[in-house]
Amino acid sequence: MDEIVVGTYEGFLLGYSLQPEDDRTILKQTFATSSHTAAVRCLSIAGKFLASGGTDDKVVIIDLKTRKEHTVLMNHDGTVNTVAFTNGGTHLLTGSDDGSVIVTRTGNWQIEKIWKKAHGGQPVTTIVVHPSDKLALSIGGDKTLRTWNLIKGRPAFTINLGSKGVGLPTEIKFSPSGDRFSLISLQNVDVWTISKAGLEKRLTCNSKPSTTQWTNDDELFVGLENGNIIKFTISKTKAQTYQAYKQRVKCMHYENSNLYSASSNGVLKAWHVDDDNLQEICSTNISCRVTCIALNRQRHLIKKEENGEDDGKASGLSDNEDKSNESDDSEIVERPPAKRQPGAFVKISYDENNIESPPAKKTKRKKKNKKKNKTE
């Protein structure tokens, strides 16, 4: 059971999960928060932490285990356009309209590195971390692609995208292995190869692309502003078009043979990806304008109560529900005394507990009497 988290223009963070209901699968809401006072622009999840940035100049960290706000980072002086956890979950990279890139350690949430003018003082629009956690890529308002060495904590090199024929870059994403990455600009999707250190292929769409999502190192989905989703196979130069929405495809995420997509009008859909087919599983209207999407991979953090019930049914202690409830109650009563009282002999009878308690009270009274005698 996967859980999808979406951010909205209205400042809400909403969670939805695939759940069976009456011989069909639905998207059921799992939680909703309003930690931001303005629109949410970006999301990133690592382990139990969810980071979200918005136009209110702050980064909100939410603990997915308790579903409560963990901390708030007020390190930027402008709209937070991008947040990205490292794959190991040790650091968080954030970029803002103030032109800075900040690296924060997730343990104590202290700043470890600040590049105040990462893109020459221009806004930082996107940051992505390589699967190896050794480098990161960023694009900004200066129309350059910058590589950051995360091991040494310094910039590595800069590529002028204008010289490569790339104008107004908006999004960049790595393939699963990290050897390729996609770059969106105007009506083109450029596929770059790190091993060759250059542009490998340019895909021109009939409508402006808005988002991309890799399924493997050779295939990727592209969402268009006319509502269609295109599946590209790079090695075969093959494309398939699917009619998904009537309005712009805002964001997508792929995991476990499922593709999750959201349109700008608030329709969230789940698709099953086959070799040549894209089958719709279910859809729902969240009644908000979606801006970003992320996946919670920690399935045990989604529903604690349901997991507890499943464990009780799987144990097979009894056939009747009443008996299973009685056995659960008996376990709950017996466990706390075992932790509080170190001596195992206390469990033999309850009379010994009653006998042991009076001497403790007498000793306390004697101490009080001694204090009184001293005062007299």
Side-chain angles (χ1 to χ4, degrees):
M1 181 176 62
D2 296 331
E3 183 181 35
I4 289 294
V5 182
V6 296
T8 64
Y9 275 108
E10 290 76 12
F12 295 105
L13 292 175
L14 306 174
Y16 291 88
S17 64
L18 289 172
Q19 295 184 4
E21 181 181 278
D22 299 334
D23 298 333
R24 63 190 182 98
T25 304
I26 63 170
L27 282 167
K28 186 176 181 180
Q29 185 173 334
T30 55
F31 74 96
T33 62
S34 58
S35 300
H36 288 273
T37 58
V40 180
R41 297 294 297 272
C42 48
L43 289 175
S44 182
I45 297 177
K48 68 174 184 177
F49 290 119
L50 163 67
S52 62
T55 56
D56 52 1
D57 303 352
K58 65 182 180 181
V59 178
V60 178
I61 309 297
I62 294 178
D63 190 344
L64 292 175
K65 195 171 184 180
T66 59
R67 301 305 169 100
K68 294 181 180 179
E69 187 177 298
H70 182 73
T71 186
V72 178
L73 306 178
M74 301 292 295
N75 302 326
H76 290 285
D77 295 329
T79 298
V80 180
N81 296 316
T82 177
V83 293
F85 278 107
T86 58
N87 295 279
T90 58
H91 293 82
L92 174 66
L93 284 74
T94 57
S96 172
D97 277 348
D98 59 7
S100 64
V101 172
I102 299 178
V103 181
T104 306
R105 180 176 287 274
T106 56
N108 51 13
W109 303 106
Q110 298 296 320
I111 297 176
E112 285 204 350
K113 193 72 177 179
I114 298 179
W115 292 292
K116 292 184 178 180
K117 294 184 178 180
H119 284 267
Q122 296 296 319
V124 182
T125 56
T126 302
I127 299 175
V128 289
V129 181
H130 192 267
S132 64
D133 284 345
K134 294 182 180 180
L135 60 91
L137 300 178
S138 66
I139 54 178
D142 57 350
K143 299 180 183 179
T144 61
L145 174 65
R146 296 181 184 264
T147 303
W148 306 93
N149 190 332
L150 298 183
I151 297 177
K152 297 182 179 180
R154 64 186 184 185
F157 55 89
T158 303
I159 299 176
N160 187 355
L161 296 177
S163 62
K164 303 291 184 180
V166 179
L168 299 176
T170 57
E171 185 187 78
I172 183 171
K173 284 187 179 180
F174 275 111
S175 64
S177 67
D179 186 53
R180 289 172 171 168
F181 65 88
S182 60
L183 182 64
I184 294 179
S185 64
L186 298 178
Q187 285 192 327
N188 300 324
V189 177
D190 295 338
V191 178
W192 294 58
T193 305
I194 292 181
S195 59
K196 297 180 181 179
L199 179 64
E200 179 183 1
K201 187 168 291 187
R202 174 165 292 175
L203 310 172
T204 303
C205 306
N206 55 4
S207 179
K208 185 177 179 180
S210 55
T211 182
T212 59
Q213 181 60 50
W214 291 85
T215 58
N216 53 52
D217 293 331
D218 193 39
E219 296 179 351
L220 76 158
F221 286 98
V222 180
L224 305 179
E225 286 204 350
N226 59 7
N228 294 338
I229 295 177
I230 300 177
K231 181 181 180 181
F232 280 110
T233 304
I234 298 170
S235 60
K236 299 179 181 179
T237 316
K238 181 181 177 182
Q240 291 180 335
T241 304
Y242 304 95
Q243 294 181 355
Y245 300 96
K246 295 181 179 180
Q247 295 185 1
R248 176 179 55 173
V249 181
K250 184 62 179 176
C251 48
M252 295 187 298
H253 191 92
Y254 175 81
E255 191 81 16
N256 300 327
S257 299
N258 290 335
L259 179 68
Y260 302 94
S261 62
S263 66
S264 57
N265 61 355
V267 178
L268 181 65
K269 290 185 179 182
W271 311 81
H272 179 69
V273 179
D274 288 335
D275 294 335
D276 295 325
N277 294 323
L278 190 63
Q279 300 177 354
E280 181 179 342
I281 301 175
C282 56
S283 65
T284 184
N285 194 336
I286 66 175
S287 301
C288 293
R289 294 174 295 171
V290 180
T291 58
C292 48
I293 192 170
L295 179 69
N296 178 17
R297 295 182 177 87
Q298 303 293 327
R299 298 185 179 185
H300 62 280
L301 299 179
I302 299 175
K303 285 284 185 179
K304 293 182 182 179
E305 297 179 358
E306 291 183 359
N307 290 338
E309 292 175 359
D310 294 337
D311 294 337
K313 292 179 182 178
S315 61
L317 295 176
S318 61
D319 296 330
N320 297 326
E321 294 181 356
D322 295 336
K323 292 181 181 180
S324 62
N325 293 331
E326 290 176 359
S327 62
D328 292 337
D329 294 338
S330 63
E331 289 179 0
I332 294 171
V333 172
E334 291 178 1
R335 284 176 185 172
K339 293 181 181 179
R340 294 177 182 175
Q341 300 178 2
F345 62 88
V346 180
K347 295 182 180 179
I348 297 174
S349 64
Y350 292 99
D351 295 335
E352 292 181 3
N353 294 333
N354 297 330
I355 294 172
E356 288 181 358
S357 57
K361 293 182 180 179
K362 288 182 180 179
T363 53
K364 290 182 181 178
R365 289 177 182 174
K366 288 180 181 179
K367 289 180 181 179
K368 291 181 181 179
N369 292 332
K370 287 180 181 180
K371 290 182 180 178
K372 289 180 180 181
N373 294 330
K374 288 181 181 181
T375 55
E376 290 176 357

